[in-house]
Amino acid sequence: MLRFYNTLTAQFEEFKPLNDDKVRMYICGPTVWNFAHIGNFRTFVFGDILRRYLKFKGFNLIHVMNLTDVDDRIISEARKKNITIYEMTAPYIQAFWEDMDALGCQRPDIAPRATEHINEMIDLIKKLLEKGRAYESKGSIYYRIASFPEYGKLSKINLEGNITGASGRIDADKYDKENVRDFALWKFVPEGEEPAWNAPFGRGRPGWHIECSAMSMKYLGESFDIHAGGIDLQFPHHENEIAQSEGATEKPFVKYWLHSEFLKVDGEKMAKSLGNEFTLRDILAKGFPPIAIRYLLLSVPYRNQLNFTFEGLRGAVSTVERLENFKLALRTTKATAGSNPVIKELIEKSLREFEEAMDDDLNTSVALASIHNMIREINTAIANENLREDDRNLALKAIEKFDSVLGIFGKDDEVILDDEIEKLIEERQEARKKRDFARADAIRAYLTEKGIILEDTKDGVRWKRKISLT
Ligand code: AMP
Ligand code: ZN
């Protein structure tokens, strides 16, 4: 039974989609004003695991993730550089997808951009105005929180307490609002200033929260199954999305809300504003393979905080090396025909444990422990030349299943088998004896290309495989 911790109900719940035929999921995407940091990618890797596991469980999934390509930070950066917001965001959108690919994150089915859905946002704001849930003030439109008594049901905030608590940092536009908690749906933009769009309620640009309500409902319907994002989005972003969507449709917006915890550095949230961030590019430039970063980010269950250290990352590098080596060893070592019931049972147990752990709110660390346990036992069988053909095939199939969700065993490059390598080495020795150096070099080059490193020692030629980790 697959269960998730639902932030809305504050409990674990069995996952039952609203419709049997399809699971509809929305994950808040990046604000494309800069390169995303690995804290952001912790959330996106979590989204990828969630996506892949729903598919593993046989659900037919539609997965939407927005790109926030208009907001205050984007506008101010574009102004500084004297370019349009489109020129400003284009390279970061491309970089974001490159980084997602490098981290092995599958792309969402639909990735709508805010700037391409302004009409949908305008329609939604119109509805809220008609229902008295929004009001105009000095050309901007605000959401009237007093009109939505359920406000706070997701984040469980105490409205009264929060207002006093926030008094030190009330928005600059506080005097334009009926209540300090009210948030902007549409921000007034004076003539001559860009970017701005014309709406029946005036020239302006959207507030941040409205885009996710408008785009999720456009692609997934007024009520859908899963909405996810980082824990910092729970309040106010997701709380506001609920107020906007349910305030307009009078229907439940989302059944399951999932929030992932922070990646931290020295006990603080990784954030650009704190200057403690590493982009994926920073880390790759230091020579770390992206698959190790993926491993590190997913190795801790998503609702636990994770502290980033380079020591931890180096640990992840040796772990993914071990995983890749194991797969290679399985594929290339000699196995005798038949099956060993102990190994067979071990593999089946590991598959069961993996699924039980992932069913339990995606408990990746328990799932990984079971995989590592299986690997240890099979490695012993390999070392004792005790691996049987049927078990080798079972183990390879199990890895394929684990990896359809986790993506940590490395790419399936075509491997060259031990027998073939040894034959080629012999042939190279023969060629050298006959002083056919061209042939000898060609063989060496071929083996190098296949990732085989030759070492000429006084006891003959030794060889080993180079681990690619791409
Ligand atoms: P942004 O581009 O700022 O809208 O953030 C994109 C996603 O990254 C959001 O879901 C955030 O909640 C998430 N996020 C931001 N910082 C961190 C962090 N340090 N750890 C985990 N997730 C984060
Ligand atoms: Zn959002």
Side-chain angles (χ1 to χ4, degrees):
M1 173 188 101
L2 173 60
R3 64 174 201 159
F4 292 128
Y5 182 83
N6 186 354
T7 316
L8 184 63
T9 55
Q11 56 191 15
F12 290 97
E13 285 177 15
E14 181 179 357
F15 178 66
K16 286 200 196 117
L18 294 165
N19 290 322
D20 288 339
D21 62 327
K22 206 162 220 134
V23 171
R24 287 161 301 157
M25 172 167 88
Y26 186 92
I27 301 181
C28 289
T31 307
V32 282
W33 70 298
N34 219 312
F35 296 114
H37 58 67
I38 56 170
N40 300 131
F41 282 116
R42 179 173 192 209
T43 293
F44 298 129
V45 168
F46 148 66
D48 182 56
I49 297 291
L50 175 58
R51 170 197 167 91
R52 288 169 177 242
Y53 196 60
L54 287 164
K55 292 192 153 195
F56 178 96
K57 295 295 279 186
F59 292 111
N60 183 2
L61 177 73
I62 168 156
H63 165 198
V64 179
M65 187 179 72
N66 66 304
L67 296 173
T68 300
D69 62 351
V70 51
D71 92 328
D72 291 348
R73 288 170 300 183
I74 293 173
I75 294 169
S76 100
E77 288 295 308
R79 279 200 192 134
K80 270 191 233 157
K81 295 192 168 120
N82 204 18
I83 53 177
T84 66
I85 54 166
Y86 304 100
E87 288 164 333
M88 165 76 205
T89 55
Y92 296 118
I93 292 174
Q94 197 191 332
F96 177 70
W97 294 124
E98 283 169 10
D99 291 356
M100 288 284 276
D101 291 348
L103 284 172
C105 293
Q106 295 177 352
R107 298 209 181 176
D109 305 296
I110 309 174
R113 293 170 60 157
T115 52
E116 290 168 3
H117 295 79
I118 303 288
N119 285 339
E120 286 81 353
M121 297 184 219
I122 291 175
D123 286 347
L124 197 53
I125 297 171
K126 260 175 24 195
K127 252 190 221 155
L128 292 168
L129 281 166
E130 280 158 20
K131 285 172 159 269
R133 287 205 155 105
Y135 58 91
E136 188 267 350
S137 171
K138 297 195 179 154
S140 291
I141 310 290
Y142 296 96
Y143 191 94
R144 178 177 283 126
I145 285 183
S147 75
F148 190 72
E150 289 177 70
Y151 193 84
K153 67 178 172 181
L154 179 72
S155 53
K156 325 285 184 276
I157 55 147
N158 171 350
L159 273 187
E160 296 309 314
N162 225 291
I163 289 171
T164 346
S167 57
R169 48 183 175 83
I170 290 172
D171 302 355
D173 52 8
K174 64 179 168 172
Y175 300 113
D176 301 341
K177 299 193 276 187
E178 291 176 1
N179 185 308
V180 286
R181 288 247 133 263
D182 292 349
F183 60 92
L185 297 167
W186 190 254
K187 297 182 176 182
F188 170 75
V189 177
E191 278 305 330
E193 216 174 89
E194 295 290 344
W197 290 265
N198 288 318
F201 35 80
R203 185 174 195 270
R205 63 184 162 85
W208 168 38
H209 313 293
I210 195 72
E211 71 176 76
C212 285
S213 284
M215 297 194 285
S216 63
M217 292 198 291
K218 169 167 180 174
Y219 294 104
L220 301 174
E222 292 179 339
S223 300
F224 57 92
D225 300 292
I226 301 177
H227 195 130
I231 188 80
D232 54 341
L233 299 189
Q234 184 184 317
F235 182 84
H237 184 54
H238 290 161
E239 196 70 62
N240 291 353
E241 276 189 51
I242 293 176
Q244 293 164 157
S245 300
E246 298 190 355
T249 66
E250 313 292 341
K251 290 180 192 157
F253 177 41
V254 170
K255 191 169 176 193
Y256 303 93
W257 286 90
L258 272 59
H259 291 101
S260 57
E261 260 295 347
F262 288 142
L263 182 71
K264 296 189 138 191
V265 193
D266 298 329
E268 278 205 281
K269 175 191 174 188
M270 183 177 285
K272 190 152 175 60
S273 56
L274 296 174
N276 64 357
E277 86 283 14
F278 291 100
T279 65
L280 180 65
R281 282 141 202 263
D282 293 335
I283 306 270
L284 299 184
K286 290 180 194 287
F288 292 100
I291 196 168
I293 300 162
R294 178 179 175 92
Y295 185 92
L296 182 72
L297 295 178
L298 65 75
S299 60
V300 170
Y302 74 95
R303 289 196 311 115
N304 293 2
Q305 293 187 342
L306 168 61
N307 197 47
F308 174 77
T309 60
F310 279 99
E311 195 191 340
L313 183 54
R314 281 190 287 274
V317 173
S318 32
T319 307
V320 290
E321 266 173 13
R322 197 172 338 123
L323 296 176
E324 194 163 347
N325 265 327
F326 175 68
K327 189 164 78 170
L328 204 57
L330 265 186
R331 290 165 81 189
T332 54
T333 48
K334 289 173 200 133
T336 43
S339 161
N340 174 346
V342 178
I343 300 282
K344 182 166 182 271
E345 170 49 27
L346 173 79
I347 297 168
E348 282 163 2
K349 180 167 155 267
S350 185
L351 277 167
R352 268 196 317 272
E353 286 173 353
F354 170 80
E355 189 159 350
E356 274 164 22
M358 294 301 286
D359 272 354
D360 185 14
D361 198 28
L362 310 177
N363 193 330
T364 44
S365 69
V366 172
L368 286 171
S370 172
I371 294 173
H372 288 303
N373 190 40
M374 180 192 93
I375 291 177
R376 203 173 315 116
E377 304 271 330
I378 297 181
N379 269 335
T380 311
I382 292 175
N384 297 337
E385 298 188 3
N386 203 8
L387 182 71
R388 302 298 185 87
E389 194 59 49
D390 294 355
D391 305 328
R392 172 228 292 276
N393 293 336
L394 266 188
L396 282 169
K397 282 217 183 80
I399 287 178
E400 216 174 282
K401 283 200 100 176
F402 299 141
D403 227 29
S404 68
V405 179
L406 301 175
I408 50 175
F409 279 87
K411 273 196 227 131
D412 268 334
D413 295 328
E414 230 179 79
V415 291
I416 168 167
L417 301 179
D418 291 12
D419 284 354
E420 198 186 333
I421 296 169
E422 274 151 25
K423 256 206 317 249
L424 283 166
I425 291 175
E426 244 171 65
E427 203 187 316
R428 176 169 167 266
Q429 296 300 75
E430 287 299 312
R432 281 165 58 149
K433 263 191 224 150
K434 287 192 228 148
R435 307 190 67 79
D436 181 358
F437 296 114
R439 177 70 190 143
D441 287 349
I443 292 172
R444 186 184 196 114
Y446 173 77
L447 288 171
T448 308
E449 191 199 300
K450 292 272 174 201
I452 308 302
I453 301 163
L454 300 187
E455 250 181 281
D456 292 309
T457 71
K458 59 176 174 15
D459 305 323
V461 180
R462 281 213 213 117
W463 64 269
K464 63 179 182 198
R465 292 177 192 272
K466 185 168 154 258
I467 297 298
S468 62
L469 290 182
T470 41

